[in-house]
Amino acid sequence: MPSAAERTRTLVQSTCSAVLLIPGAAGSCPDQLLPDVRTVGPDGEVFLVLPADSPAVRAATHAQDDELAVVLELTDVAPVSVPNRIRGRAWLSGWLTCVPGVAEPGRMLLRLELGEASVDDLWGAETVEPDAFARACPDPLVEHEAELLQHLHSGHGDQVRSLCALLGDRESDAWDAYASAVPVALDRYGLRVRFTRRHGPGTPADRSFDARFEFPEPVDDVVALRRAMHQLFEAAGC
């Protein structure tokens, strides 16, 4: 499974939403605290681009000893329509400083030196050490995950649903017992599907659960992913 550091690094370098939380900036326009761009430097620092007149830039410019304590909060939402779409959140705490003369006109580059981080996602809640974050690599599928999940859902729904055959004794009912099967997360190690079982006698409503399907080996690109998905579908007898 991906480590907590890998998962956090993947969220930072994904397109999920992010907002800077700054003491004393509660009355500011929320849109002014949404970074336009975020990247990770070689030492694990996070670079953010914000409007030059944003509260973050003003606060960092006037911070005592050039150290402004902030939290970068990231929220990851599934790119497909399912109940409870929030897949996870991550928080990066540290000190924000301006990097003058680097960003384009009207924008400012800021550097977040990481002090601590944590992630709470489909894998669970864990803390992340700054050194581990700096060493981690984002998932190689992160740039394509949303498109791939949407393609699986819209173009291969029956095949995804057929994966219920791999659930074993825990969920061994017939295919028709499942109202839906939606792929909700994808990484180099495997695919996570949210199954919804039809309600039956004595059951008040449909219920959902997630199942994780591991690839035979980690994949590094879309070509390898295609092979891994074919293997999964073949194993399910589709």
Side-chain angles (χ1 to χ4, degrees):
M1 61 176 285
S3 68
E6 289 175 317
R7 282 146 41 207
T8 305
R9 184 79 178 250
T10 298
L11 288 183
V12 171
Q13 297 184 229
S14 72
T15 58
C16 73
S17 64
V19 61
L20 268 176
L21 307 177
I22 303 174
S28 304
C29 176
D31 289 345
Q32 292 182 310
L33 296 174
L34 303 177
D36 295 334
V37 179
R38 56 181 186 266
T39 57
V40 180
D43 297 321
E45 65 272 59
V46 180
F47 291 102
L48 308 170
V49 176
L50 284 98
D53 61 351
S54 72
V57 172
R58 293 197 300 268
T61 302
H62 297 96
Q64 185 176 3
D65 299 324
D66 293 329
E67 290 189 353
L68 175 67
V70 300
V71 177
L72 181 67
E73 181 181 76
L74 302 110
T75 301
D76 180 31
V77 179
V80 289
S81 180
V82 288
N84 305 315
R85 287 183 66 185
I86 295 180
R87 301 188 299 186
R89 287 189 170 90
W91 299 266
L92 283 72
S93 304
W95 300 272
L96 194 69
T97 55
C98 292
V99 183
V102 178
E104 61 190 51
R107 295 288 185 269
M108 179 64 74
L109 182 68
L110 298 102
R111 177 181 182 269
L112 174 59
E113 180 185 351
L114 190 61
E116 59 183 10
S118 61
V119 62
D120 187 356
D121 58 10
L122 297 172
W123 298 98
E126 297 183 63
T127 58
V128 178
E129 294 296 327
D131 288 346
F133 178 83
R135 293 192 303 267
C137 294
D139 190 89
L141 302 179
V142 62
E143 294 183 6
H144 309 287
E145 187 204 16
E147 178 184 356
L148 290 168
L149 287 175
Q150 291 165 358
H151 174 71
L152 280 172
H153 184 43
S154 63
H156 300 276
D158 285 346
Q159 289 173 295
V160 173
R161 195 173 170 208
S162 76
L163 295 177
C164 67
L166 301 179
L167 295 176
D169 293 337
R170 185 172 65 86
E171 300 288 351
S172 57
D173 291 351
W175 188 358
D176 288 342
Y178 297 92
S180 66
V182 181
V184 293
L186 177 67
D187 57 62
R188 67 191 304 251
Y189 298 102
L191 172 71
R192 188 182 296 266
V193 177
R194 185 159 299 167
F195 290 95
T196 300
R197 289 175 54 83
R198 303 181 191 278
H199 70 273
T203 304
D206 294 351
R207 67 178 182 88
S208 298
F209 66 93
D210 285 3
R212 172 84 177 176
F213 301 95
E214 304 290 341
F215 298 142
E217 58 185 24
V219 301
D220 293 325
D221 54 37
V222 175
V223 174
L225 172 66
R226 189 176 296 114
R227 291 196 298 267
M229 290 302 305
H230 281 310
Q231 289 176 295
L232 274 182
F233 293 146
E234 287 176 2
C238 183

